[in-house]
Amino acid sequence: TLEKSSQSDGGNQFSFRDNYDLFDKFDIIMRICSSDYLNSGHFVWNKNNQKATFYYSVPEDEMDVQIKHLNQTLAYTVNHESEKNNLLNVLIETTGKLNGGDNKAPIFADNFKDKSWLVIPEGATNFLPFDLLVFQYESDSTSYHYLGEAVTITYAPSLSAYVEFANRKQSGKTKNSAILASANPETESS
């Protein structure tokens, strides 16, 4: 399943099938699982074949260290133009760790563009800018592209939360309200 139930008695379980109409606009739905019961990885539901497949990634603690390293490299690269090659290497490494630890960027077909993804991060991946993950096209294995160049990414804390927000929007029950978003700023100086 793409969404685990928080209730052990099975009450109020989320049903992907019952809410399919809300997910139909996404080509891919990626649900990250960092908990021990699945040994770290992610489910990827593909609209084309209507299947969910589980892919293993590196353990949560290793992913956490990698994402912290990526965020430090991003912050440093902003002020040091000469570090762009280092940033690319860290992005390739991060993408590889998410994809099982092979330290390679995935290769996609040349028609991989204008896609729509729903990403449900968990654990350390809550701090991962998926738009910056890199990939290559089949016809050009020498150039890297950012995922955000080919994919529109929607983030949600869970599938059930996405359904709740989407249902509110569809029903027109939204009031003139705002969403308060808060970052987790680095408060310690290095």
Side-chain angles (χ1 to χ4, degrees), residues 182-188:
S182 175
N184 187 10
E186 190 75 30
T187 56
E188 298 177 21

Side-chain angles (χ1 to χ4, degrees), residues 106-145:
I107 298 174
F108 293 128
D110 290 341
N111 65 352
F112 181 76
K113 46 186 127 205
D114 301 323
K115 303 289 183 188
S116 182
W117 287 21
L118 174 62
V119 175
I120 296 94
E122 184 177 310
T125 60
N126 279 299
F127 302 101
L128 177 61
F130 282 80
D131 301 70
L132 291 181
L133 296 178
V134 292
F135 70 94
Q136 295 175 303
Y137 285 113
E138 286 176 333
S139 64
D140 181 11
S141 61
T142 60
S143 297
Y144 290 94
H145 305 273

